[in-house]
Amino acid sequence: QVQVVESGGGLVQAGGSLRLSCAVTGRIFRINAMGWYRQAPGKQRELVAGITSGGSTNYADSVKGRFTISRDNAKSMGYLQMNSLKAEDTGAYYCNANVSSSAGYYLPTPYWGQGTQVTVSS
């Protein structure tokens, strides 16, 4: 089965940086679209950054200029570079990946990881 595992979270001071990684394993051909979502305590999960199959990116207004999403299909890996972290960035970060099993064949359901916790102290 396809599995998604996030890593790289931790406790950091405001103004610091972290790079989250998203490893996609299983019998896949490549990662298509991918997104990073954040869920803070008592709030709904929200899209922080996304990248399309064509490489276009989009970001939530709260992280523009500070976060960068990227993908390495040769390694089946996704990344989220987080700079100038703020206390408001605290939350559980989840990777969502859409994949294809072979060229031109897309799996119908995206896959979610278990999340990695990011805590930013002010």
Coordinates of all heavy atoms in Angstrom, one line a residue, residues 32-118:
N32 N 2.0 13.4 -7.9 CA 1.4 14.4 -8.8 C 1.2 15.7 -8.0 O 2.2 16.4 -7.7 CB 0.1 13.9 -9.4 CG 0.3 12.7 -10.2 OD1 -0.3 11.6 -10.0 ND2 1.1 12.8 -11.2
A33 N 0.0 16.0 -7.6 CA -0.2 17.2 -6.7 C 0.1 16.8 -5.3 O -0.1 15.7 -4.8 CB -1.6 17.7 -6.9
M34 N 0.6 17.8 -4.5 CA 0.9 17.6 -3.1 C 0.6 18.9 -2.3 O 0.7 20.0 -2.8 CB 2.4 17.3 -2.9 CG 2.8 16.9 -1.5 SD 4.6 16.7 -1.4 CE 5.1 18.4 -1.6
G35 N 0.1 18.7 -1.1 CA -0.2 19.8 -0.2 C 0.3 19.6 1.2 O 0.3 18.5 1.7
W36 N 0.6 20.7 1.9 CA 0.9 20.7 3.3 C -0.3 21.4 4.1 O -0.7 22.5 3.7 CB 2.2 21.4 3.6 CG 3.4 20.6 3.3 CD1 4.1 20.6 2.2 CD2 4.0 19.6 4.1 NE1 5.2 19.8 2.2 CE2 5.1 19.1 3.4 CE3 3.7 19.1 5.4 CZ2 6.0 18.1 3.9 CZ3 4.6 18.1 5.9 CH2 5.7 17.6 5.2
Y37 N -0.8 20.7 5.1 CA -1.9 21.3 5.8 C -1.5 21.4 7.3 O -0.7 20.7 7.8 CB -3.2 20.3 5.8 CG -3.8 20.3 4.4 CD1 -3.2 19.6 3.4 CD2 -5.0 20.9 4.2 CE1 -3.8 19.5 2.1 CE2 -5.6 20.9 2.9 CZ -5.0 20.2 1.9 OH -5.6 20.1 0.6
R38 N -2.1 22.4 8.0 CA -1.8 22.6 9.4 C -3.1 22.6 10.2 O -4.1 23.2 9.8 CB -1.1 24.0 9.5 CG -0.8 24.4 11.0 CD 0.0 25.7 11.0 NE -0.7 26.8 10.5 CZ -0.1 27.9 10.0 NH1 1.2 28.0 9.9 NH2 -0.9 28.9 9.5
Q39 N -3.1 22.0 11.4 CA -4.2 22.0 12.3 C -3.7 22.5 13.7 O -3.0 21.8 14.3 CB -4.9 20.7 12.3 CG -6.1 20.7 13.1 CD -7.0 19.4 12.9 OE1 -6.5 18.4 12.5 NE2 -8.3 19.5 13.2
A40 N -4.2 23.6 14.1 CA -3.9 24.1 15.4 C -5.0 23.7 16.4 O -6.1 23.3 16.0 CB -3.8 25.7 15.4
P41 N -4.7 23.6 17.7 CA -5.7 23.2 18.7 C -7.0 24.0 18.6 O -6.9 25.2 18.6 CB -5.0 23.4 20.0 CG -3.5 23.3 19.7 CD -3.4 23.9 18.3
G42 N -8.1 23.3 18.5 CA -9.4 23.9 18.5 C -9.8 24.5 17.1 O -10.8 25.2 17.0
K43 N -8.9 24.3 16.1 CA -9.2 24.9 14.8 C -9.3 23.8 13.7 O -8.8 22.7 13.9 CB -8.1 25.9 14.4 CG -8.1 27.1 15.3 CD -7.1 28.1 14.8 CE -7.0 29.4 15.7 NZ -6.0 30.4 15.2
Q44 N -9.9 24.1 12.6 CA -10.0 23.2 11.5 C -8.7 23.1 10.7 O -7.9 24.1 10.8 CB -11.1 23.6 10.5 CG -12.5 23.4 11.1 CD -13.6 23.7 10.1 OE1 -13.4 24.6 9.2 NE2 -14.7 23.0 10.2
R45 N -8.4 22.0 10.1 CA -7.3 21.8 9.3 C -7.3 22.8 8.1 O -8.3 22.8 7.4 CB -7.1 20.4 8.8 CG -5.8 20.0 8.2 CD -5.7 18.5 7.9 NE -5.8 17.7 9.1 CZ -5.8 16.4 9.1 NH1 -5.6 15.7 8.0 NH2 -5.9 15.8 10.3
E46 N -6.2 23.5 7.8 CA -6.2 24.4 6.7 C -5.0 24.1 5.8 O -4.0 23.7 6.2 CB -6.1 25.8 7.2 CG -4.8 26.1 8.0 CD -4.7 27.6 8.4 OE1 -5.5 28.4 7.9 OE2 -3.9 27.9 9.3
L47 N -5.2 24.5 4.5 CA -4.1 24.4 3.5 C -3.1 25.5 3.7 O -3.4 26.6 3.7 CB -4.7 24.4 2.1 CG -3.6 24.3 1.0 CD1 -2.9 23.0 1.0 CD2 -4.3 24.6 -0.4
V48 N -1.8 25.1 3.9 CA -0.7 26.0 4.1 C 0.0 26.3 2.8 O 0.3 27.4 2.4 CB 0.2 25.5 5.2 CG1 1.5 26.4 5.3 CG2 -0.4 25.4 6.5
A49 N 0.3 25.2 2.1 CA 1.0 25.3 0.8 C 0.7 24.1 -0.1 O 0.4 23.0 0.4 CB 2.5 25.4 1.0
G50 N 0.6 24.4 -1.4 CA 0.3 23.3 -2.3 C 1.1 23.5 -3.6 O 1.6 24.6 -3.9
I51 N 1.3 22.3 -4.3 CA 2.0 22.3 -5.5 C 1.2 21.4 -6.5 O 0.8 20.3 -6.1 CB 3.5 21.9 -5.4 CG1 4.2 22.0 -6.7 CG2 3.6 20.5 -4.8 CD1 5.7 21.8 -6.6
T52 N 1.0 21.8 -7.7 CA 0.2 21.1 -8.7 C 1.1 20.1 -9.4 O 2.4 20.1 -9.3 CB -0.5 22.0 -9.7 OG1 0.5 22.6 -10.5 CG2 -1.3 23.1 -9.0
S53 N 0.5 19.2 -10.2 CA 1.3 18.3 -11.0 C 2.2 19.0 -12.0 O 3.3 18.4 -12.3 CB 0.4 17.3 -11.7 OG -0.5 18.0 -12.6
G54 N 1.9 20.2 -12.4 CA 2.7 21.0 -13.3 C 3.7 21.8 -12.6 O 4.5 22.5 -13.3
G55 N 3.8 21.8 -11.3 CA 4.8 22.6 -10.6 C 4.3 23.9 -10.1 O 5.1 24.6 -9.4
S56 N 3.1 24.4 -10.3 CA 2.6 25.7 -9.8 C 2.4 25.5 -8.3 O 2.0 24.5 -7.8 CB 1.3 26.1 -10.5 OG 1.5 26.2 -11.9
T57 N 2.7 26.6 -7.6 CA 2.6 26.6 -6.1 C 1.6 27.7 -5.7 O 1.4 28.7 -6.3 CB 4.0 26.9 -5.5 OG1 4.5 28.1 -5.9 CG2 4.9 25.8 -5.8
N58 N 1.1 27.5 -4.5 CA 0.2 28.5 -3.9 C 0.4 28.4 -2.4 O 0.7 27.3 -1.8 CB -1.3 28.3 -4.3 CG -1.9 27.0 -3.8 OD1 -1.6 25.9 -4.3 ND2 -2.7 27.1 -2.7
Y59 N 0.2 29.5 -1.7 CA 0.4 29.6 -0.2 C -0.7 30.3 0.5 O -1.4 31.2 -0.1 CB 1.7 30.3 0.1 CG 2.9 29.6 -0.5 CD1 3.4 30.0 -1.8 CD2 3.6 28.6 0.2 CE1 4.5 29.4 -2.4 CE2 4.7 28.0 -0.4 CZ 5.2 28.4 -1.7 OH 6.3 27.8 -2.2
A60 N -1.0 30.0 1.7 CA -1.9 30.7 2.5 C -1.3 32.1 2.8 O 0.0 32.2 2.8 CB -2.1 30.0 3.9
D61 N -2.1 33.1 2.9 CA -1.6 34.5 3.1 C -0.7 34.6 4.3 O 0.2 35.4 4.3 CB -2.8 35.5 3.2 CG -3.5 35.7 1.9 OD1 -2.9 35.4 0.8 OD2 -4.7 36.1 1.9
S62 N -1.0 33.8 5.3 CA -0.3 33.9 6.6 C 1.2 33.4 6.5 O 2.0 33.8 7.3 CB -1.0 33.1 7.7 OG -1.1 31.8 7.4
V63 N 1.5 32.7 5.4 CA 2.9 32.1 5.3 C 3.6 32.6 4.1 O 4.8 32.2 3.9 CB 2.8 30.6 5.3 CG1 2.1 30.1 6.5 CG2 2.2 30.0 4.0
K64 N 3.0 33.4 3.2 CA 3.6 33.9 2.0 C 4.9 34.7 2.3 O 4.9 35.5 3.2 CB 2.7 34.8 1.2 CG 1.6 34.1 0.5 CD 0.7 35.0 -0.3 CE -0.4 34.2 -1.1 NZ -1.3 35.2 -1.8
G65 N 5.9 34.3 1.6 CA 7.2 35.0 1.8 C 8.1 34.3 2.9 O 9.3 34.6 3.0
R66 N 7.5 33.4 3.6 CA 8.2 32.7 4.7 C 8.4 31.2 4.4 O 9.4 30.6 4.8 CB 7.5 32.9 6.0 CG 7.4 34.4 6.4 CD 6.9 34.5 7.9 NE 5.6 34.0 8.0 CZ 5.2 33.0 8.8 NH1 6.2 32.3 9.5 NH2 4.0 32.6 8.9
F67 N 7.4 30.6 3.8 CA 7.4 29.1 3.5 C 7.6 28.8 2.1 O 7.2 29.6 1.2 CB 6.1 28.5 4.0 CG 5.8 28.4 5.5 CD1 6.6 29.1 6.3 CD2 4.8 27.7 6.0 CE1 6.4 29.1 7.7 CE2 4.5 27.6 7.3 CZ 5.4 28.3 8.2
T68 N 8.2 27.7 1.7 CA 8.4 27.3 0.4 C 8.2 25.8 0.3 O 8.8 25.0 1.0 CB 9.9 27.6 -0.1 OG1 10.2 29.0 0.0 CG2 10.0 27.2 -1.6
I69 N 7.3 25.4 -0.7 CA 7.0 24.0 -0.9 C 7.8 23.5 -2.1 O 7.9 24.3 -3.1 CB 5.5 23.8 -1.1 CG1 5.2 22.3 -1.2 CG2 5.0 24.5 -2.3 CD1 3.7 22.0 -1.2
S70 N 8.3 22.3 -2.1 CA 9.0 21.7 -3.2 C 8.8 20.2 -3.2 O 8.3 19.6 -2.3 CB 10.5 22.1 -3.1 OG 11.1 21.5 -1.9
R71 N 9.2 19.6 -4.4 CA 9.0 18.2 -4.6 C 10.2 17.6 -5.4 O 10.7 18.3 -6.3 CB 7.7 18.0 -5.3 CG 7.3 16.6 -5.7 CD 6.0 16.6 -6.5 NE 6.1 17.4 -7.7 CZ 5.1 18.0 -8.3 NH1 3.9 17.8 -7.8 NH2 5.3 18.8 -9.4
D72 N 10.6 16.4 -5.0 CA 11.6 15.7 -5.7 C 11.0 14.3 -6.1 O 11.0 13.4 -5.4 CB 12.8 15.5 -4.8 CG 14.0 14.9 -5.6 OD1 13.8 14.3 -6.7 OD2 15.2 15.0 -5.1
N73 N 10.6 14.3 -7.4 CA 9.9 13.0 -7.8 C 10.9 11.9 -8.0 O 10.5 10.7 -7.8 CB 9.2 13.3 -9.1 CG 7.8 13.8 -8.9 OD1 7.1 13.4 -8.0 ND2 7.3 14.7 -9.8
A74 N 12.1 12.1 -8.2 CA 13.1 11.1 -8.3 C 13.3 10.3 -7.0 O 13.6 9.1 -7.0 CB 14.5 11.7 -8.8
K75 N 13.0 11.0 -5.9 CA 13.1 10.4 -4.6 C 11.8 10.2 -3.9 O 11.7 9.7 -2.8 CB 14.0 11.3 -3.7 CG 15.4 11.5 -4.1 CD 16.1 12.4 -3.2 CE 17.6 12.7 -3.6 NZ 18.3 13.6 -2.7
S76 N 10.7 10.5 -4.6 CA 9.4 10.4 -4.1 C 9.3 11.2 -2.7 O 8.8 10.6 -1.8 CB 8.9 9.0 -3.9 OG 8.8 8.4 -5.2
M77 N 9.8 12.4 -2.7 CA 9.8 13.2 -1.5 C 9.2 14.6 -1.7 O 9.4 15.1 -2.8 CB 11.3 13.4 -1.0 CG 12.0 12.1 -0.6 SD 11.4 11.6 1.1 CE 12.0 12.9 2.1
G78 N 8.6 15.1 -0.7 CA 8.1 16.5 -0.7 C 8.7 17.2 0.5 O 9.1 16.6 1.5
Y79 N 8.8 18.5 0.4 CA 9.4 19.3 1.4 C 8.6 20.6 1.7 O 7.9 21.1 0.8 CB 10.8 19.7 1.1 CG 11.7 18.5 0.7 CD1 11.9 18.1 -0.6 CD2 12.3 17.8 1.7 CE1 12.7 17.1 -0.9 CE2 13.1 16.7 1.4 CZ 13.3 16.3 0.1 OH 14.1 15.3 -0.2
L80 N 8.7 21.1 2.9 CA 8.2 22.4 3.3 C 9.3 23.1 4.1 O 9.5 22.8 5.2 CB 6.9 22.3 4.1 CG 6.2 23.6 4.4 CD1 5.7 24.3 3.2 CD2 5.1 23.4 5.4
Q81 N 9.9 24.1 3.4 CA 10.9 24.9 4.1 C 10.1 26.1 4.9 O 9.4 26.8 4.2 CB 11.9 25.5 3.1 CG 13.0 26.4 3.8 CD 13.9 25.6 4.7 OE1 14.3 24.6 4.3 NE2 14.1 26.2 5.9
M82 N 10.4 26.2 6.2 CA 9.7 27.1 7.0 C 10.7 28.1 7.6 O 11.5 27.6 8.4 CB 8.9 26.4 8.1 CG 8.0 25.3 7.5 SD 7.4 24.1 8.8 CE 6.3 25.2 9.8
N83 N 10.6 29.3 7.3 CA 11.5 30.3 7.8 C 10.8 31.4 8.6 O 9.6 31.6 8.4 CB 12.3 31.0 6.7 CG 13.2 30.1 5.9 OD1 13.7 29.1 6.5 ND2 13.4 30.3 4.6
S84 N 11.5 32.1 9.4 CA 10.9 33.2 10.2 C 9.7 32.8 10.9 O 8.6 33.4 10.9 CB 10.6 34.4 9.3 OG 11.7 34.9 8.6
L85 N 9.8 31.6 11.6 CA 8.6 31.0 12.3 C 8.0 31.9 13.3 O 8.8 32.6 14.1 CB 9.0 29.7 12.8 CG 9.1 28.6 11.8 CD1 9.9 27.4 12.4 CD2 7.7 28.1 11.3
K86 N 6.7 31.9 13.5 CA 6.0 32.6 14.5 C 5.2 31.7 15.4 O 5.0 30.5 15.0 CB 5.0 33.6 13.8 CG 5.6 34.6 12.8 CD 4.5 35.4 12.1 CE 5.1 36.3 11.1 NZ 4.0 37.1 10.4
A87 N 4.8 32.2 16.5 CA 4.0 31.4 17.4 C 2.7 30.9 16.8 O 2.3 29.8 17.1 CB 3.7 32.1 18.7
E88 N 2.2 31.7 15.9 CA 0.9 31.3 15.2 C 1.1 30.1 14.3 O 0.1 29.6 13.8 CB 0.4 32.5 14.5 CG 0.2 33.8 15.3 CD 1.4 34.7 15.3 OE1 1.6 35.5 14.4 OE2 2.3 34.5 16.2
D89 N 2.3 29.8 14.0 CA 2.6 28.6 13.1 C 2.5 27.3 13.8 O 2.6 26.2 13.2 CB 4.0 28.8 12.4 CG 4.1 30.0 11.5 OD1 3.1 30.2 10.8 OD2 5.2 30.6 11.5
T90 N 2.3 27.3 15.1 CA 2.3 26.1 15.9 C 1.1 25.3 15.5 O 0.0 25.8 15.3 CB 2.1 26.5 17.4 OG1 3.4 27.1 17.8 CG2 1.9 25.2 18.2
G91 N 1.3 24.0 15.4 CA 0.2 23.1 15.0 C 0.8 21.7 14.5 O 2.0 21.6 14.4
A92 N -0.1 20.8 14.2 CA 0.3 19.6 13.5 C 0.2 19.8 12.0 O -0.8 20.3 11.5 CB -0.7 18.5 14.0
Y93 N 1.3 19.4 11.4 CA 1.4 19.5 9.9 C 1.3 18.2 9.2 O 1.9 17.2 9.6 CB 2.8 20.2 9.6 CG 2.8 21.7 9.9 CD1 2.9 22.1 11.2 CD2 2.8 22.6 8.8 CE1 2.9 23.5 11.4 CE2 2.8 23.9 9.1 CZ 2.9 24.4 10.4 OH 2.9 25.7 10.6
Y94 N 0.4 18.2 8.2 CA 0.1 16.9 7.5 C 0.4 17.1 6.0 O 0.2 18.1 5.4 CB -1.4 16.6 7.6 CG -1.9 16.3 9.1 CD1 -2.2 17.4 9.9 CD2 -1.9 15.0 9.6 CE1 -2.7 17.1 11.2 CE2 -2.3 14.8 10.8 CZ -2.7 15.9 11.7 OH -3.1 15.6 12.9
C95 N 0.9 16.0 5.5 CA 1.2 16.0 4.0 C 0.2 15.2 3.3 O -0.2 14.1 3.8 CB 2.6 15.3 3.8 SG 3.1 15.1 2.1
N96 N -0.3 15.7 2.2 CA -1.3 15.1 1.4 C -0.8 14.9 0.0 O -0.3 15.9 -0.6 CB -2.6 15.9 1.3 CG -3.7 15.4 0.4 OD1 -3.7 15.7 -0.8 ND2 -4.5 14.6 0.9
A97 N -0.8 13.7 -0.5 CA -0.2 13.4 -1.8 C -1.1 12.7 -2.7 O -1.7 11.7 -2.4 CB 1.1 12.5 -1.6
N98 N -1.2 13.2 -3.9 CA -1.9 12.5 -5.0 C -0.8 11.8 -5.9 O 0.2 12.5 -6.3 CB -2.7 13.5 -5.9 CG -3.8 14.1 -5.1 OD1 -3.7 15.1 -4.4 ND2 -5.0 13.5 -5.3
V99 N -1.0 10.5 -6.2 CA 0.0 9.8 -6.9 C -0.6 9.0 -8.1 O -1.8 8.8 -8.2 CB 0.7 8.8 -6.0 CG1 1.3 9.5 -4.8 CG2 -0.3 7.7 -5.5
S100 N 0.3 8.6 -9.0 CA 0.0 7.8 -10.1 C 0.7 6.5 -10.0 O 1.9 6.5 -9.7 CB 0.2 8.5 -11.5 OG 1.6 8.8 -11.6
S101 N 0.1 5.3 -10.4 CA 0.7 4.0 -10.3 C 1.6 3.8 -11.5 O 2.5 3.0 -11.4 CB -0.3 2.9 -10.1 OG -1.2 3.0 -11.2
S102 N 1.3 4.4 -12.6 CA 2.1 4.3 -13.8 C 1.8 5.6 -14.7 O 0.9 6.3 -14.3 CB 1.8 3.0 -14.6 OG 0.4 3.0 -15.0
A103 N 2.5 5.7 -15.7 CA 2.3 6.9 -16.6 C 0.8 7.0 -17.1 O 0.4 6.0 -17.7 CB 3.3 6.9 -17.8
G104 N 0.2 8.1 -16.7 CA -1.2 8.3 -17.2 C -2.3 7.6 -16.4 O -3.5 7.8 -16.7
Y105 N -1.9 6.9 -15.3 CA -2.9 6.2 -14.5 C -2.8 6.8 -13.1 O -1.9 6.5 -12.3 CB -2.6 4.7 -14.5 CG -2.9 4.0 -15.8 CD1 -1.9 3.9 -16.7 CD2 -4.1 3.5 -16.1 CE1 -2.1 3.3 -18.0 CE2 -4.4 2.9 -17.3 CZ -3.3 2.9 -18.3 OH -3.6 2.3 -19.5
Y106 N -3.8 7.5 -12.7 CA -3.9 8.2 -11.4 C -4.7 7.4 -10.4 O -5.8 6.9 -10.7 CB -4.6 9.5 -11.6 CG -3.7 10.5 -12.4 CD1 -3.8 10.5 -13.8 CD2 -2.9 11.5 -11.8 CE1 -3.0 11.4 -14.5 CE2 -2.2 12.4 -12.5 CZ -2.2 12.3 -13.9 OH -1.5 13.2 -14.6
L107 N -4.2 7.2 -9.2 CA -4.9 6.6 -8.1 C -6.0 7.6 -7.7 O -5.8 8.8 -7.6 CB -4.0 6.2 -7.0 CG -3.0 5.2 -7.3 CD1 -2.1 4.9 -6.1 CD2 -3.6 3.9 -7.8
P108 N -7.2 7.0 -7.4 CA -8.4 7.9 -7.2 C -8.4 8.7 -5.9 O -9.1 9.7 -5.8 CB -9.6 6.9 -7.3 CG -9.0 5.6 -6.8 CD -7.6 5.6 -7.4
T109 N -7.7 8.2 -4.9 CA -7.8 8.8 -3.6 C -6.4 9.3 -3.1 O -5.5 8.6 -3.2 CB -8.3 7.8 -2.5 OG1 -9.6 7.3 -3.0 CG2 -8.5 8.5 -1.2
P110 N -6.4 10.6 -2.6 CA -5.1 11.1 -2.1 C -4.7 10.4 -0.8 O -5.6 9.9 -0.1 CB -5.4 12.6 -1.9 CG -6.8 12.7 -1.6 CD -7.4 11.6 -2.6
Y111 N -3.5 10.4 -0.4 CA -3.0 9.8 0.8 C -2.5 10.8 1.8 O -1.9 11.8 1.4 CB -1.9 8.8 0.5 CG -2.3 7.6 -0.4 CD1 -2.4 7.7 -1.8 CD2 -2.7 6.4 0.2 CE1 -2.8 6.6 -2.5 CE2 -3.1 5.4 -0.5 CZ -3.2 5.5 -1.9 OH -3.6 4.4 -2.6
W112 N -2.8 10.5 3.1 CA -2.5 11.4 4.2 C -1.4 10.8 5.1 O -1.5 9.5 5.3 CB -3.7 11.8 5.0 CG -4.7 12.7 4.4 CD1 -5.7 12.3 3.6 CD2 -4.7 14.1 4.4 NE1 -6.4 13.4 3.2 CE2 -5.8 14.6 3.7 CE3 -3.8 15.1 5.0 CZ2 -6.1 15.9 3.6 CZ3 -4.1 16.4 4.9 CH2 -5.2 16.8 4.2
G113 N -0.5 11.6 5.6 CA 0.4 11.1 6.6 C -0.2 11.2 8.0 O -1.3 11.8 8.2
Q114 N 0.5 10.8 9.0 CA 0.0 10.9 10.4 C 0.3 12.3 11.0 O -0.3 12.6 12.1 CB 0.6 9.8 11.3 CG 0.3 8.4 10.9 CD 0.8 7.4 11.8 OE1 0.0 6.7 12.5 NE2 2.1 7.2 11.9
G115 N 1.1 13.1 10.4 CA 1.4 14.4 10.9 C 2.7 14.5 11.7 O 3.2 13.5 12.2
T116 N 3.2 15.7 11.7 CA 4.4 16.0 12.6 C 4.1 17.3 13.3 O 3.6 18.3 12.7 CB 5.7 16.0 11.7 OG1 6.8 16.2 12.6 CG2 5.6 17.2 10.7
Q117 N 4.4 17.3 14.6 CA 4.1 18.5 15.4 C 5.2 19.6 15.3 O 6.4 19.3 15.4 CB 4.0 18.1 16.9 CG 3.7 19.2 17.8 CD 2.3 19.8 17.6 OE1 1.4 19.1 17.2 NE2 2.1 21.1 17.8
V118 N 4.8 20.8 15.1 CA 5.6 22.0 15.1 C 5.2 22.9 16.2 O 4.0 23.3 16.2 CB 5.6 22.7 13.8 CG1 6.4 24.0 13.8 CG2 6.2 21.8 12.7

